[in-house]
């Protein structure tokens, strides 16, 4: 509420301050184009803004983020802690682990594509393939052959002879499908020990005649205790990082 009030005050008083002190202002408007080039430039700007808005999602889908965030969500569900840790913590941890795992790839992109392009040593047409090559190698190291073949069959394209013949539109969904499969496999392994605790607690409560007491209430402290005793977060994070090796 306070932030909204501050923004409203800024929006109301900024024009008056600009007139009084000569500050620069930004004007947005729609007018008639006198030349076709003006329309082309406007369309290019619109396309660029659209790409920038979806670029973070595209980049996340090409990295280790998908597998990490799903496995961390499975950990929370398996323990039955509902909203602990919160979504912000899960996503934040997944992002930093993604940066940690993808650091060699990002470093290679910076050294081979970004810095030469900023130093005007290569052109934009040369920089884009150089930037995509490390990402392609990472995705090819993680994608499953069955998933890749499935996307090739669905697309109806000819059977590729080399990895260079596989386009990004085929590689990215195949990579995401492989990540989903691996994440659910790891999630199943995470659920097994917690499921055993739930079954043991439910059997004990039934034997004691306490059938009206939800087993999750009794089993939750034991699941948290087990997770703490085996240093569960270190095991989960270590397994996630090593799964990309």
């Amino acid at each position: 509420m306070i932030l909204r009030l501050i923004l409203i005050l800024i929006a109301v008083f900024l024009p008056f301050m600009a007139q009084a002190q000569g500050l620069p202002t930004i004007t947005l408007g729609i007018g008639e184009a006198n030349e076709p080039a003006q329309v082309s430039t406007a369309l290019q700007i619109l396309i660029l803004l659209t790409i920038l808005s979806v670029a973070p999602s595209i980049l996340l889908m090409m990295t280790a983020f998908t597998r990490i965030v799903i496995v961390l969500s499975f950990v929370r569900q398996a323990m039955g802690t509902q909203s602990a840790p919160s979504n912000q913590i899960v996503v934040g941890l997944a992002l930093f682990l993604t940066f940690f795992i993808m650091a060699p790839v990002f470093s290679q992109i910076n050294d081979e594509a970004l810095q030469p392009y900023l130093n005007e040593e290569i052109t934009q047409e040369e920089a884009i393939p150089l930037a995509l090559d490390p990402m392609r190698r990472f995705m090819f190291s993680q994608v499953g052959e069955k998933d890749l073949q499935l996307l090739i069959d669905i697309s109806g394209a000819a059977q590729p002879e080399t990895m260079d013949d596989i386009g990004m539109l085929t590689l990215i969904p195949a990579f995401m499908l492989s990540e989903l499969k691996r994440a659910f496999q790891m999630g199943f392994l995470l659920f097994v020990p917690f499921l055993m605790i739930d079954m043991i607690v439910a059997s004990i409560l039934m034997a004691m005649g306490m059938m009206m007491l939800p087993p999750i209430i009794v089993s939750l402290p034991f699941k948290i205790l087990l997770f703490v005793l085996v240093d569960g977060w270190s095991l989960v994070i270590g397994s996630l990082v090593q799964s990309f090796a």
Side-chain angles (χ1 to χ4, degrees):
M1 187 65 183
I2 297 176
L3 179 59
R4 184 180 299 177
L5 180 60
I6 294 175
L7 293 176
I8 293 174
L9 293 175
I10 292 175
V12 171
F13 290 105
L14 186 59
F16 298 100
M17 295 173 60
Q19 293 179 2
Q21 302 179 8
L23 297 176
T25 59
I26 299 175
T27 303
L28 298 177
I30 299 176
E32 295 183 358
N34 298 322
E35 298 178 0
Q38 296 178 352
V39 179
S40 177
T41 303
L43 291 177
Q44 292 177 3
I45 295 174
L46 180 61
I47 294 173
L48 178 61
L49 292 176
T50 304
I51 294 175
L52 290 177
S53 64
V54 300
S57 299
I58 296 175
L59 291 177
L60 288 179
M61 296 303 103
M62 297 169 60
T63 61
F65 179 80
T66 302
R67 186 190 309 182
I68 295 173
V69 74
I70 292 177
V71 171
L72 293 180
S73 299
F74 270 125
V75 172
R76 183 175 61 183
Q77 289 182 334
M79 287 194 298
T81 53
Q82 302 300 324
S83 59
S86 63
N87 291 331
Q88 292 85 351
I89 296 176
V90 171
V91 174
L93 180 58
L95 281 174
F96 280 102
L97 286 176
T98 301
F99 294 148
F100 176 78
I101 294 172
M102 301 296 297
V105 178
F106 292 154
S107 178
Q108 186 176 359
I109 293 174
N110 180 69
D111 296 338
E112 298 181 0
L114 181 59
Q115 292 302 323
Y117 174 71
L118 295 178
N119 296 330
E120 298 182 355
E121 299 175 1
I122 58 176
T123 62
Q124 180 179 354
E125 290 75 14
E126 296 174 334
I128 293 177
L130 291 175
L132 288 178
D133 185 62
M135 297 297 298
R136 286 176 59 88
R137 288 203 297 268
F138 170 77
M139 288 189 287
F140 273 118
S141 67
Q142 302 297 324
V143 70
E145 295 183 3
K146 292 183 179 180
D147 303 321
L148 193 58
Q149 186 62 49
L150 174 63
L151 269 297
I152 294 175
D153 295 338
I154 293 175
S155 64
Q159 192 68 23
E161 297 181 358
T162 61
M163 292 190 301
D164 296 334
D165 298 333
I166 301 176
M168 294 295 289
L169 293 179
T170 302
L171 177 59
I172 292 177
F175 169 76
M176 293 178 60
L177 182 59
S178 298
E179 290 296 286
L180 289 173
K181 291 174 64 175
R182 286 194 178 95
F184 273 75
Q185 291 171 358
M186 297 180 71
F188 169 77
L189 296 177
L190 287 170
F191 262 94
V192 171
F194 298 111
L195 179 61
M196 296 299 296
I197 295 177
D198 286 332
M199 293 177 62
I200 293 173
V201 171
S203 301
I204 294 174
L205 292 178
M206 186 175 295
M208 296 174 61
M210 305 174 63
M211 293 178 291
M212 300 300 295
L213 180 64
I216 186 64
I217 298 178
V218 181
S219 64
L220 179 59
F222 292 100
K223 290 191 287 187
I224 295 177
L225 178 62
L226 172 65
F227 196 72
V228 172
L229 289 177
V230 300
D231 198 6
W233 286 115
S234 297
L235 291 176
V236 172
I237 300 303
S239 300
L240 275 171
V241 175
Q242 293 175 4
S243 66
F244 290 96

